[in-house]
Structure formats: C-alpha cells, structure tokens
C-alpha cells in the first residue's frame, strides 16, 4: 500500500473542534473544506476561523496575513462536494457512535479511494467506526485537544486494521500542522491522556464522597504540594463535569456520586455557571495554599501511575508518549511515568494494595506491569530502573541535548506547553546535562528554546510552593553551574526571556537575541525578587540605577534596549539570527579550549576581586598558557598565514 500524500483536507463538523482543526490545517498551508449539515453552522464556523486568524495576525503568531490564510478555507453543506477531492477527511461530528459510523459510511462512498478517514473522537472505538467503510486500513483516530489552535497534542490512534502507511502519513501530517503526535498503538477506550487524566479527577471525587477531604483540600493539595496547574475539582469544572461522567460511565470503575449528582442537576461547571464551585454568583475556585494540609496526594497519584502502567503493559503506548501526552494534553508539570519513578513504584504499589484490600474496588487493582517492575527490583529513579532506564543516557523530559561533531553541546529547553517555563525538574535536568558532560569533548554550549515564542518565559512558580528553602537553593546551584561551566556558554534567545529564563541567560557568556525578543525580571509582581544571581549579575552589567529600575518595576523591555544597555551582545533580525549564532559558535568552537577556559575563569573571578588581584590572576593565566602546545600552534599558524588547528 502506497503512503498517501496529503494536500487537501476536509473537516466535517464546524463546531468548536471542527473549525479549530480546519484553521490549524489552513495555517499550515493546506486547502481546506469545512462542512456541516446547516448553512448557519458553516457560516458560524467560518466566522470563528476568520476572527481567530485576525487575533493571531495581530499577535504576530502567523507568518501570512489572516486574509491569505482564510482564502484557503471553503464552506459546504453538501458532503459529497466537500470530500470529493480530499486526501484527508477529519470528522468532528457529535460524539455518538451511530452518527460517526453513518458519517464515515458516506465519506467512504464519496471520497477518493486514496483518502484517509480520521476521527476526532476522544475515546470511541476506531475499529468499530472503520466497519462502516470498505477501507478500514485507511481509518485512523486523530484526537485533537481543545482548543486545537492552542493545544499542541494530537493522539494518533491505531484501529485494528489501520495500516502502517496510514499511521506514518498521519504522523507526518500532524507534524506539518505544528502539532505533536503521540502513538496510541491499541484502540482502547479513552486512549492515553484521558485514561490517566480522569483518575486525577475521579479519585478526588471518591475521597470527597468518603469524607477524606473537602473540595478545597484536594485542589490545594495537588496544586500547591504537587505543582499541578489545576486541582481535580477545578479541572472537572473547567472541562465540564459531564465529560468526566461520560468517560467514567464507560469504564469499569463506576461514577463517583458527586459527579453523577452534578450531571443530574445540570450543574456542569463553568459552562453552566455552577459546578463544584460557583461561577455566576461566586468567583470560582475558593481554595488557598493553607487548605492543602493533610490531603493524601499519593492516593490520587498512585491511581494515575497505575493506569499508566496498565497502558504500558498492554502495549498501548510507551512511557515517553504517555508522559508527553499528559504534559501537552493535561498541562501536567511532569509526566506520570516519571512521577511514579520519582515516588518509587514500590511505594505506589503498596498504596494500591492497601486501598484494594480495604475497599475491594477494582480501580485499585495493581496493573501487572507495575507488579512485575517492583518484583524485578526496578522501582524507579533511585533503583536505576523503573518505567525508564536511568543507568545509561538520562531520560530528559524537558531538554533536547545533542553533542555535535565540533564539540558544540546544544541544550534546547522543550516545554512549549508552558512557554519553556522552568520547573524544579527542568532546572535539575540542566544541572545534570552540564554535570554529566565530558568537558574534554566540548568546545562550547548553546542554550535555546523550542518553538518560536520563548527562550523561557520564567520559572513555574506554583511548582516551587511545596519546596523547602534548601530545595530552592538547588535551583540557584543549577544556574551557578551554567555560570561556572568550564567552556563558553551561548544563549540563543528568540521570544520571551523572563524571570528564571532571564537569570539563566545572564549566567551565560554570550547572549544573542532576535529583535522580536522580550526581556524582564517580573518577580516583584509575585512578591519575590530575582534569584539565581539575577540581582547581582544584572547590576554588574547595567549598574545599580538601571538594575533597580528593571527589578523594582518588573516591566518587560525590548531586545533593542537590552542591547543598548549591554545586557545582550546582539539583537538581530529574525532572518539573520541563525547565521549570527552560527558565526559566534564557529569562532568559539574553532578556538583553543584551554585558553577559552582560562579566559572565562579570569574574567568571572576577576570581577569579584580588586583590580590588583584580578591583574595577578590574568598574569598567572597568561603564563600558564605560554607553556601549552596550543600557544605554539597559534604562533606557528600566524607565521605561516593559516588558520590554527588547536589540539588541546
């Protein structure tokens, strides 16, 4: 079977998901047909796309004009016309199996034989849908998350007969529209993210029913102790309590009474004005940091880890895809498999066994994979193995680390779902990447941010609220390791560079930025001051008056001002940025490693010493370097009018 090439996309259903999926395709350059059963639905969908594109254009988040992108989208009520030339058809019709099967049957009749048929279902069986067609090998799940324009994740779901070529083609398409696909290898109810996410909400609801917590205690405990962006009841309200109810009704574990009661009363959360919290007559969530005391966060996280273990053991998804999915789809601070490895899988198993023995509830029955890992002694990070193997290359979650041929160590911050904001774990990964590095093999280090919006938008403050002061000091040590690393460090900045990202940048030796980049130390607005040496290094660069202005006011400022004030080395147009970074890196990578090490050390240590002491350090460094082979090679190359070849 030949792998299909996708050029034209048809989206069926012009509601919030459908018009979002269509907009994403149009932004990526595809010709798009948007179809719904009524002309007014189609017009509403097109109006929403046009409005959204205008907002994206205002913010500079699309590379074309809104008008040019919108011209690629056409609206239809006739299904045959909408799909007759399509290479990919994505259905986003109501989440009812019979409606979806009827739709796919019609698509099968009218779409070209080459066309892939994808369902945006959040959990219905792809295999069953495919029975409505004569091309089950070309039927696949593509579960986008709401809203599709903002959310990065797409679950790519295999039906039992979906071909490898179809899966490969859809993954390529998902990447081409700027989304991240995770591979759901088996067609299980709820796929990956919902199977891990719903226990987060459901277990807290069971604890509420049993009198083990209040709504506020659960939300505060998981937000302020464990760093989740929302508490379970807050998240239930945000997504719609009926959504969790529908999932749980189709699971083996039952629906907590409070969820069923809210559905019966039609108090479904934000969208109805009332749920676990009041939105019309109140201000929404009412929990505070002090409410967290005594809440059993392990009970909730053990359930989530167990479901992740079940997915891995059943061959549904890899730990890497599960963790990426819950980070991008649930905005979790750390992947659930990594959470399990950090807690200890033996601790998780013991908790589940205690709960299962006490209640007999099937939701606590330990997954075979979890039991097998514990019995094998593979209990997590401290043991060297768990979901991940920690004995070899470290399993980074937030960094892309690569050592190039010329000894250039590239460290890319990859937490795009939070604009590369630093969590404690992410700082620890930076520290590990540098501490594990063999400096003999490295010429320089280049830090950058994934995506095109941020180097790093700061520190993820909520995640630090549970830390003791000694743990926060570990973050300071991570930035200090950047500052004192033996090789030159380069910060390549495109987009937001704020807070913790700004402080890490200040610790680098060379700082290069695009003209569109934005800088700032906004900690004062949170009742904090810059950490990681931010107050001191900024003062050394710009002097006390300007440092106080930037820190006291907490305002953002432009790359132009950062360059004028000497905070960065260059601000360059976006289209010149990569070449500028390459020029700097090439010069450094071809230089003598020992001399660069000594130069960095003398400069850094000299600024903290008196002039006399600094001159002595400089003299000692100079004298040391005159004894090296690199110096002899440099002199010889100068005499022979050639480029030196330093060997260190």
């Amino acid at each position: 079977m030949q792998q299909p090439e996708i050029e034209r996309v048809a989206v069926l259903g012009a509601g919030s998901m459908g018009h979002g999926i269509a907009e994403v395709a149009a932004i990526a350059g595809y010709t798009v047909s948007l179809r719904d059963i009524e002309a007014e639905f189609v017009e509403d969908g097109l109006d929403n796309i046009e409005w959204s594109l205008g907002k994206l254009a205002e913010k500079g988040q699309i590379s074309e004009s809104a008008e040019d992108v919108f011209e690629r989208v056409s609206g239809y009520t006739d299904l045959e016309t909408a799909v007759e030339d399509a290479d990919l058809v994505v259905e986003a019709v109501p989440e009812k199996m019979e409606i979806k099967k009827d739709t796919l049957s019609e698509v099968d009749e009218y779409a070209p034989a080459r066309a892939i048929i994808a369902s945006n279902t959040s959990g219905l069986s792809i295999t069953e849908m495919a029975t409505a067609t004569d091309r089950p090998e070309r039927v696949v799940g593509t579960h986008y998350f709401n809203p599709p324009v903002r959310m990065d994740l797409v679950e790519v779901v295999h039906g039992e007969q979906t071909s490898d070529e179809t899966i490969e083609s859809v993954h390529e398409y998902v990447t081409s529209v700027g989304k991240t696909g995770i591979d759901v290898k088996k067609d299980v109810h709820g796929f990956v993210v919902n199977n891990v996410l719903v226990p987060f909400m459901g277990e807290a609801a069971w604890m509420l029913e049993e009198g083990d917590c209040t709504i506020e205690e659960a939300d505060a405990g998981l937000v302020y102790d464990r760093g989740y962006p929302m508490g379970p009841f807050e998240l239930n309200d945000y997504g719609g309590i009926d959504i969790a109810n529908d999932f749980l009704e189709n699971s083996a574990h039952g629906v907590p009474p409070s969820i069923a009661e809210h559905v019966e009363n039609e108090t479904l959360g934000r969208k109805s004005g009332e749920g676990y919290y009041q939105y019309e007559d109140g201000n929404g969530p009412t929990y505070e940091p002090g409410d967290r005391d005594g809440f059993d966060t392990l009970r909730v996280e053990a359930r989530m880890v167990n479901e992740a273990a079940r997915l891995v053991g059943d061959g549904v998804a890899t730990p890497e895809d599960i963790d990426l999915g819950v980070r991008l789809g649930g905005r979790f601070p750390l992947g659930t498999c990594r959470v399990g490895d950090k807690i200890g899988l033996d601790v998780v198993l013991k908790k589940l066994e205690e709960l299962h023995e006490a209640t007999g509830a099937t939701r606590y029955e330990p997954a075979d994979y979890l039991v097998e890992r514990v019995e094998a002694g593979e209990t997590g990070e401290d043991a060297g193995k768990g979901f991940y193997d920690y004995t070899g290359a470290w399993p980074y979650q937030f960094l892309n680390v690569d050592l190039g041929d010329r000894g250039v160590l590239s460290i890319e911050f990859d937490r795009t779902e939070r604009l590369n904001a630093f969590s404690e774990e992410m700082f620890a990964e930076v520290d590990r990447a540098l501490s594990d590095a063999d400096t003999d093999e490295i010429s320089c280090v280049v830090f950058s941010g994934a995506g095109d919006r941020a180097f790093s938008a700061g520190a993820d403050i909520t995640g630090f609220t549970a830390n003791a002061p000694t743990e926060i000091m570990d973050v300071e040590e991570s930035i200090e390791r950047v500052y004192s690393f033996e090789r030159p460090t380069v910060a390549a900045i495109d987009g937001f560079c704020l807070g913790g990202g700004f402080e890490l940048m200040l610790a680098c030796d060379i700082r290069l930025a695009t003209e569109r980049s934005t800088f700032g130390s906004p900690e004062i607005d949170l009742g904090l001051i810059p950490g990681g040496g931010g107050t001191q290094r900024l003062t050394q660069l710009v002097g006390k008056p300007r440092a106080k202005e930037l820190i006291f006011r907490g305002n953002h400022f432009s790359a132009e001002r950062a360059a004028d004030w000497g905070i960065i080395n260059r601000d360059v147009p976006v289209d010149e940025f990569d070449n500028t970074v390459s020029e700097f890196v090439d010069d450094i990578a071809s230089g003598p490693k020992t001399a660069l090490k000594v130069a960095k050390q003398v400069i850094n240590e000299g600024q903290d010493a008196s002039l006399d002491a600094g001159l002595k350090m400089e003299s000692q460094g100079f004298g040391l370097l005159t004894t090296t082979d690199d110096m002899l090679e440099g002199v010889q190359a100068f005499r022979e009018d050639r480029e030196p070849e330093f060997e260190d």
Side-chain angles (χ1 to χ4, degrees):
M1 176 180 170
Q2 186 176 1
Q3 182 177 328
E5 293 185 7
I6 297 172
E7 295 180 357
R8 303 179 66 87
V9 179
V11 180
L12 309 181
S16 60
M17 292 301 295
H19 72 68
I21 293 168
E23 182 179 353
V24 166
I27 291 170
Y30 291 94
T31 301
V32 182
S33 301
L34 180 65
R35 185 261 178 181
D36 213 314
I37 57 175
E38 299 286 348
E40 63 179 298
F41 299 158
V42 176
E43 288 304 314
D44 286 345
L46 292 173
D47 288 346
N48 280 314
I49 292 174
E50 189 172 25
W51 175 85
S52 175
L53 289 172
K55 291 296 183 182
L56 292 174
E58 286 177 14
K59 297 175 182 178
Q61 293 179 5
I62 53 177
S63 58
E64 300 176 84
S65 70
E67 293 76 15
D68 286 346
V69 176
F70 189 63
E71 283 182 4
R72 291 197 282 270
V73 186
S74 302
Y76 301 93
T77 55
D78 182 65
L79 186 142
E80 180 178 359
T81 306
V83 305
E84 61 185 358
D85 294 324
D87 304 303
L88 171 66
V89 180
V90 183
E91 71 78 11
V93 302
E95 193 78 346
K96 302 293 182 184
M97 179 59 77
E98 289 309 310
I99 296 176
K100 289 184 180 291
K101 289 175 73 172
D102 288 345
T103 301
L104 264 63
S105 179
E106 286 191 78
V107 172
D108 189 46
E109 180 180 355
Y110 297 123
R114 68 178 185 275
I116 293 171
I117 305 175
S119 171
N120 182 54
T121 177
S122 61
L124 296 178
S125 171
I126 302 301
T127 302
E128 183 176 346
M129 286 184 215
T131 63
T133 77
D134 291 328
R135 61 179 95 183
E137 74 283 355
R138 292 185 186 269
V139 178
V140 64
T142 52
H143 176 212
Y144 290 75
F145 284 69
N146 194 21
V149 174
R150 289 176 50 199
M151 297 294 281
D152 291 335
L153 181 67
V154 177
E155 292 181 308
V156 178
V157 187
H158 300 225
E160 288 182 6
Q161 297 187 57
T162 309
S163 70
D164 292 343
E165 291 83 2
T166 297
I167 293 295
E168 183 179 351
S169 185
V170 169
H171 272 294
E172 289 178 0
Y173 171 77
V174 166
T175 300
S176 76
V177 298
K179 303 301 177 185
T180 300
I182 63 170
D183 204 43
V184 185
K185 301 179 187 299
K186 290 187 178 179
D187 185 12
V188 297
H189 172 65
F191 310 143
V192 167
V193 174
N194 282 337
N195 271 300
V196 180
L197 185 63
V198 172
F200 176 76
M201 299 180 285
E203 191 57 32
W206 284 113
M207 294 171 73
L208 177 69
E209 175 67 20
E210 294 160 13
D212 290 335
C213 70
T214 65
I215 292 168
E216 287 80 7
E217 285 169 351
D219 282 356
L222 286 157
V223 169
Y224 292 111
D225 270 351
R226 302 299 290 164
Y228 291 93
M230 290 185 183
F233 295 107
E234 181 183 13
L235 183 59
N236 249 318
D237 279 358
Y238 182 82
I241 298 173
D242 53 327
I243 304 300
N245 180 80
D246 290 347
F247 180 91
L248 289 164
E249 279 188 332
N250 289 291
S251 75
H253 304 318
V255 181
S258 67
I259 289 179
E261 183 179 338
H262 277 295
V263 172
E264 184 179 348
N265 295 335
E266 298 185 353
T267 51
L268 305 178
R270 286 180 180 270
K271 61 186 176 184
S272 65
E274 179 183 351
Y276 285 104
Y277 295 101
Q278 295 285 337
Y279 298 92
E280 286 184 353
D281 300 323
N283 297 319
T286 54
Y287 64 91
E288 298 176 351
D291 294 324
R292 60 183 162 170
D293 294 341
F295 180 75
D296 186 0
T297 59
L298 177 58
R299 178 171 165 179
V300 174
E301 291 187 313
R303 282 280 327 276
M304 295 158 59
V305 172
N306 197 41
E307 293 307 316
R310 204 179 310 282
L311 292 169
V312 175
D314 291 346
V316 177
T318 64
E320 291 83 359
D321 273 355
I322 292 170
D323 284 355
L324 185 59
V326 297
R327 278 179 45 211
L328 298 182
R331 301 299 177 101
F332 283 7
L334 188 63
T336 299
C337 295
R338 283 285 286 122
V339 168
D341 279 357
K342 290 180 78 67
I343 293 172
L345 300 186
D346 52 337
V347 175
V348 170
L349 179 59
K350 181 180 179 182
K351 184 69 172 181
L352 291 167
E353 289 175 335
E354 290 173 351
L355 291 165
H356 190 243
E357 183 178 351
T359 67
T362 59
R363 65 183 182 275
Y364 301 124
E365 187 172 346
D368 291 343
Y369 182 85
L370 179 64
V371 175
E372 290 165 5
R373 296 280 68 72
V374 174
E375 289 180 348
E378 298 174 358
T379 56
E381 188 174 321
D382 289 344
K385 285 187 179 180
F387 282 103
Y388 294 95
D389 185 346
Y390 300 90
T391 61
W394 191 260
Y396 294 108
Q397 287 232 336
F398 304 114
L399 304 184
N400 298 316
V401 181
D402 178 66
L403 181 60
D405 294 338
R406 302 185 62 198
V408 178
L409 180 63
S410 298
I411 299 178
E412 182 183 56
F413 312 135
D414 191 355
R415 200 184 182 209
T416 54
E417 70 273 20
R418 300 282 188 94
L419 292 176
N420 301 325
F422 279 96
S423 62
E424 180 193 1
E425 182 74 14
M426 190 168 163
F427 274 122
E429 289 192 353
V430 171
D431 189 85
R432 177 173 289 277
L434 294 179
S435 61
D436 286 355
D438 183 350
T439 53
D440 290 340
E441 297 181 356
I442 295 171
S443 58
C444 67
V445 182
V446 180
F447 294 99
S448 62
D452 58 1
R453 298 185 62 193
F455 175 76
S456 171
D460 194 352
I461 296 298
T462 300
F464 290 96
T465 56
N467 294 339
T470 52
E471 292 171 319
I472 295 174
M473 287 171 62
D474 292 340
V475 173
E476 309 279 330
E477 291 173 4
S478 299
I479 294 180
E480 186 61 29
R481 191 179 295 277
V482 174
Y483 180 73
S484 60
F485 191 69
E486 289 186 359
R487 300 289 182 249
T489 53
V490 178
I493 303 145
D494 183 19
F496 292 112
C497 182
L498 308 172
F502 184 68
E503 289 142 25
L504 187 142
M505 175 212 73
L506 291 174
C508 291
D509 301 309
I510 303 292
R511 298 175 284 274
L512 309 170
T514 59
E515 291 177 338
R516 67 185 178 189
S517 296
T518 303
F519 299 83
S521 292
E523 288 91 343
I524 203 73
D525 295 331
L526 299 170
L528 297 169
I529 63 171
T535 58
Q536 304 308 300
R537 293 192 182 103
L538 183 61
T539 302
Q540 289 174 343
L541 286 171
V542 302
K544 289 182 182 179
R546 284 177 171 170
K548 289 177 180 177
E549 174 186 340
L550 297 177
I551 292 170
F552 291 177
R553 300 182 70 190
N555 293 340
H556 295 186
F557 56 95
S558 67
E560 181 181 13
R561 172 172 289 185
D564 287 345
W565 285 10
I567 297 172
I568 62 176
N569 297 75
R570 301 279 192 282
D571 66 315
V572 298
V574 173
D575 58 359
E576 298 177 15
F577 183 60
D578 289 342
N579 286 337
T580 301
V581 173
S582 294
E583 289 172 3
F584 273 78
V585 171
D586 287 346
D587 286 344
I588 295 170
S590 61
K593 292 179 182 178
T594 303
L596 288 166
K597 172 185 174 181
V598 172
K600 176 173 179 173
Q601 184 176 0
V602 169
I603 292 169
N604 285 355
E605 294 181 7
Q607 66 185 356
D608 297 324
S610 66
L611 177 60
D612 183 57
L615 290 172
K616 287 181 180 178
M617 281 189 279
E618 178 185 88
S619 178
Q620 290 170 353
F622 185 89
L624 171 66
L625 292 170
T626 61
T627 68
T628 64
D629 290 340
D630 275 351
M631 189 277 292
L632 296 176
E633 166 61 14
V635 172
Q636 186 74 5
F638 176 78
R639 294 182 61 190
E640 296 173 1
D641 194 24
R642 60 174 174 80
E643 290 295 321
E645 297 179 3
F646 296 114
E647 297 290 342
D648 289 293

